[in-house]
Amino acid sequence: MFKLEKKNYLFLGAIIGILSFVLLFIGVKFVLGNEVNFNNMIAYLIFSLLAGGLASLLVFFRLKIAFLIYNIGLLIGYFEMYRAFLNGMGGWGDLVGVLSLFIWAAIGLGIGLVIQLGLYLYKRFKK
């Protein structure tokens, strides 16, 4: 079975980055039905690199709980993005969907880091 180890940080970051790019592209191109131009591709690439880079850093520094919660936040974000795209919302669905992805990713990262810090402090002061 694949373990969350420090030596796998580049692989996991690349997987999350590639999946983020593919999910964003599929969501905008096929679910939303918008044309994807060069500027959109650059934006998707930048977000995907950030998402994969953050995941790599979390694995590299062995922040397993933060990594898990960050990925859950990304999954919820993509789910909410697709849901907003499918609901339409009178022209605002695309903006609401992408913003919900960003917000849920940030919430997942924040909560994961706070819980990881709390666990670290608990273990440190328990001794």
Side-chain angles (χ1 to χ4, degrees):
M1 183 162 158
F2 187 77
K3 292 185 177 182
L4 187 64
E5 295 176 354
K6 188 175 181 176
K7 65 181 178 180
N8 298 326
Y9 75 98
L10 287 176
F11 176 73
L12 289 171
I15 293 295
I16 290 172
I18 291 168
L19 282 174
S20 290
F21 184 83
V22 169
L23 288 172
L24 268 171
F25 183 80
I26 288 173
V28 173
K29 176 78 174 171
F30 299 110
V31 177
L32 188 60
N34 284 355
E35 284 297 317
V36 178
N37 59 25
F38 182 72
N39 291 337
N40 291 355
M41 296 289 275
I42 296 298
Y44 303 160
L45 183 64
I46 290 171
F47 176 75
S48 300
L49 287 173
L50 285 172
L54 282 171
S56 287
L57 286 174
L58 294 174
V59 173
F60 182 77
F61 290 113
R62 295 185 185 111
L63 304 174
K64 293 179 183 180
I65 295 171
F67 176 75
L68 177 68
I69 295 174
Y70 172 65
N71 285 327
I72 290 171
L74 276 176
L75 286 175
I76 293 171
Y78 279 110
F79 175 78
E80 288 294 320
M81 181 184 76
Y82 282 114
R83 192 172 67 89
F85 286 174
L86 291 173
N87 285 340
M89 298 182 190
W92 288 94
D94 53 348
L95 181 62
V96 170
V98 172
L99 283 176
S100 66
L101 170 63
F102 295 159
I103 290 169
W104 277 107
I107 288 171
L109 179 64
I111 290 173
L113 289 174
V114 167
I115 291 174
Q116 191 77 49
L117 176 66
L119 181 66
Y120 170 76
L121 292 174
Y122 174 76
K123 286 181 179 179
R124 182 172 173 120
F125 291 121
K126 184 181 169 186
K127 294 179 182 180

